[in-house]
Amino acid sequence: MRLRVDLLPHGNYPDVVLVIDVLRATTTAVTYLERGAEALLLTATPEVALSLRGEAPEGGLLLGGERGGLPIPGFDFGNSPVEAAAQNFTGRVVVMNTTNGTGAAHTAAQTGKHVLLAALTNAHAAARRARALATEEIAIVCAGTDLHVGLEDVYAAGVLAEYLLAMGEFSIDDGTRIALTVRRNAGNPIEALGSSGHGQHLVGLGLGDDVRYAAQVSTSTLVPVLGEAQEIPEALRFVAG
Amino acid sequence: MRLRVDLLPHGNYPDVVLVIDVLRATTTAVTYLERGAEALLLTATPEVALSLRGEAPEGGLLLGGERGGLPIPGFDFGNSPVEAAAQNFTGRVVVMNTTNGTGAAHTAAQTGKHVLLAALTNAHAAARRARALATEEIAIVCAGTDLHVGLEDVYAAGVLAEYLLAMGEFSIDDGTRIALTVRRNAGNPIEALGSSGHGQHLVGLGLGDDVRYAAQVSTSTLVPVLGEAQEIPEALRFVAG
């Protein structure tokens, strides 16, 4: 079994893909499911999200997302896990569009057999699920920020890699070696996320609570899994796996 | 002043770019200049290299390069720094084409004002030269291997970043934070290069001496610098800076 960490989305994933965007898309996605959401629809653009709502019955879909860390006009929620944790989404479908995380999920879905969303908050559960599904390769894909590598995603990839290496034998690549080195030497999760460029940006926007929320490790057992039947090609449907 | 490390070539470099392909293109480039070469021509493809020789006077150009670590048919040298160190290139022009390093140099040259080739062997000299030239940003660009990040290049980027941070004030990005963490925690240069996927590949090809050669730190003061007047658009001309 191969274990591969892509420090930025690269493509050509043959088997299981774990998509990471710790600050904040995948952390928020896990929280929506924790708070009862029935499904998540990840769209490639904000326009697709808005048009999906236009087609749905009144109040049928909620929209969550951000650009540059700030809420998108016309959306209900701002991609904040703290905000999501305070709401009840039971039976609701949330449409998500974010700067980096949703794009990475679409890249993963092009070829991946199984696409899961991973964060620090569901790291152990996501690793277990990936291990159970994989037959040849587990690829951990860091979303990064605006095409630049994000320390917070590489750190989380290292946490996932550590869990996976404890579950069985893997051949690893240099991306995995780098992620493990970062995980073991960049401090505790709060320090690592807080020292990242994107973490500092969010703190500057007054969103430090989201950074602290995202630094919790394995507090959730929910793993968003890409469903097999995709009704809308421009929107990836994830459900609790 | 900004310091930025791209773990793979990304583009949009406004100022000084240090291109790193430790195993082996930039290490070999430094060695050609050490052994007297007058200039290096980095071509985008092997075909351009062969056609340049066709147009040159008999014996006027030497060709060095590799694909997958092995010499290219029709070339004189195989991108080996150990092989280069045993030859005398005084007054000669060497045309180079390699799998990753020459492509990264071409990406850097698209926008960079000053493009330098850096390796562990010339790390201190390359950092000093970059610091002297830069007015707004120094970008350290890791060539990687076949679009995947290479531990050896990230390690060398960390060595360069340490030198630069000792020379003045910089704002740094997450790529720099990751490279510094790798440099400080992945062992000594021989251990880091030897544990990388590409280092292991070269050892398997019987090229372990090249890996050991490339792990020497700051043994050369020569820095290949992209010349200002480029006569042939498909071939970047580097001279000793």
Side-chain angles (χ1 to χ4, degrees):
Chain A
M1 184 81 67
R2 298 188 305 273
L3 174 57
R4 155 184 174 191
V5 173
D6 281 9
L7 305 189
L8 284 171
H10 177 272
N12 295 319
Y13 305 111
D15 192 6
V16 174
V17 193
L18 289 159
V19 177
I20 297 181
D21 186 4
V22 171
L23 294 175
R24 297 168 287 163
T26 55
T27 303
T28 307
V30 171
T31 310
Y32 284 137
L33 295 184
E34 279 284 344
R35 300 298 301 150
E38 182 186 304
L40 309 172
L41 294 175
L42 271 60
T43 66
T45 65
E47 290 71 30
V48 171
L50 290 164
S51 76
L52 284 176
R53 172 144 72 183
E55 295 159 15
E58 182 84 24
L61 293 176
L62 294 169
L63 269 53
E66 52 77 28
R67 276 296 173 280
L70 297 172
I72 299 174
F75 276 47
D76 306 295
F77 298 102
N79 191 36
S80 160
V82 169
E83 180 188 44
Q87 307 279 331
N88 184 349
F89 293 94
T90 304
R92 307 299 294 270
V93 173
V94 185
V95 185
M96 295 184 68
N97 180 262
T98 64
T99 312
N100 307 289
T102 51
H106 280 259
T107 300
Q110 282 169 9
T111 59
K113 270 190 211 152
H114 306 279
V115 179
L116 320 181
L117 304 184
L120 283 174
T121 54
N122 74 342
H124 190 255
R128 281 188 59 178
R129 181 77 191 212
R131 185 69 187 78
L133 290 167
T135 56
E136 51 173 316
E137 178 182 284
I138 298 174
I140 303 174
V141 179
C142 301
T145 303
D146 301 331
L147 303 180
H148 286 90
V149 67
L151 178 65
E152 70 282 11
D153 293 333
V154 177
Y155 184 90
V159 171
L160 284 159
E162 280 202 331
Y163 283 136
L164 286 164
L165 292 173
M167 292 174 193
E169 289 283 314
F170 288 90
S171 67
I172 65 172
D173 70 349
D174 280 6
T176 306
R177 292 184 183 98
I178 291 168
L180 288 168
T181 302
V182 167
R183 188 274 182 275
R184 291 168 182 163
N185 298 287
N188 66 35
I190 284 274
E191 290 164 347
L193 271 55
S195 69
S196 72
H198 196 55
Q200 293 173 16
H201 174 71
L202 290 173
V203 169
L205 293 175
L207 296 166
D209 283 349
D210 277 349
V211 178
R212 283 182 286 279
Y213 186 100
Q216 303 171 95
V217 178
S218 300
T219 50
S220 172
T221 58
L222 284 176
V223 183
V225 177
L226 184 62
E228 298 210 350
Q230 294 291 321
E231 290 157 34
I232 317 160
E234 321 87 74
L236 303 174
R237 184 183 178 89
F238 286 82
V239 295
Chain B
M1 184 80 69
R2 299 189 306 272
L3 174 58
R4 156 184 174 190
V5 173
D6 280 9
L7 305 190
L8 283 172
H10 178 273
N12 294 319
Y13 304 113
D15 191 6
V16 174
V17 194
L18 288 158
V19 177
I20 297 180
D21 186 4
V22 170
L23 294 175
R24 298 167 289 164
T26 54
T27 303
T28 306
V30 171
T31 309
Y32 283 137
L33 294 184
E34 279 284 343
R35 301 298 301 149
E38 181 185 304
L40 308 172
L41 295 175
L42 271 61
T43 67
T45 65
E47 290 71 29
V48 171
L50 290 164
S51 77
L52 283 176
R53 172 145 73 183
E55 295 159 14
E58 182 84 24
L61 293 177
L62 295 168
L63 267 53
E66 53 75 29
R67 275 296 172 281
L70 297 172
I72 299 173
F75 276 47
D76 305 295
F77 299 101
N79 192 34
S80 161
V82 168
E83 180 188 44
Q87 307 279 331
N88 185 348
F89 294 93
T90 303
R92 306 299 293 269
V93 173
V94 184
V95 183
M96 294 184 70
N97 180 261
T98 64
T99 312
N100 307 290
T102 51
H106 280 258
T107 300
Q110 282 169 10
T111 59
K113 270 190 208 150
H114 307 278
V115 179
L116 321 181
L117 303 184
L120 282 174
T121 54
N122 74 342
H124 191 256
R128 280 188 61 178
R129 182 77 190 214
R131 186 68 187 80
L133 290 168
T135 56
E136 51 173 316
E137 177 181 286
I138 297 174
I140 303 175
V141 179
C142 301
T145 303
D146 302 330
L147 302 180
H148 286 90
V149 66
L151 179 65
E152 71 281 12
D153 293 334
V154 177
Y155 184 91
V159 171
L160 283 160
E162 280 203 330
Y163 283 136
L164 285 164
L165 292 173
M167 292 173 192
E169 288 284 314
F170 289 90
S171 67
I172 65 172
D173 70 349
D174 280 6
T176 306
R177 293 183 183 100
I178 290 168
L180 288 168
T181 302
V182 168
R183 187 274 181 276
R184 291 167 182 163
N185 298 286
N188 67 36
I190 284 276
E191 290 164 346
L193 271 55
S195 69
S196 72
H198 196 56
Q200 293 173 16
H201 174 70
L202 290 172
V203 168
L205 293 174
L207 296 166
D209 283 350
D210 277 350
V211 178
R212 284 182 285 279
Y213 187 100
Q216 304 171 93
V217 179
S218 301
T219 50
S220 172
T221 57
L222 284 177
V223 183
V225 177
L226 183 63
E228 297 209 353
Q230 295 291 324
E231 289 158 33
I232 317 161
E234 320 89 75
L236 302 174
R237 184 183 178 89
F238 286 82
V239 295

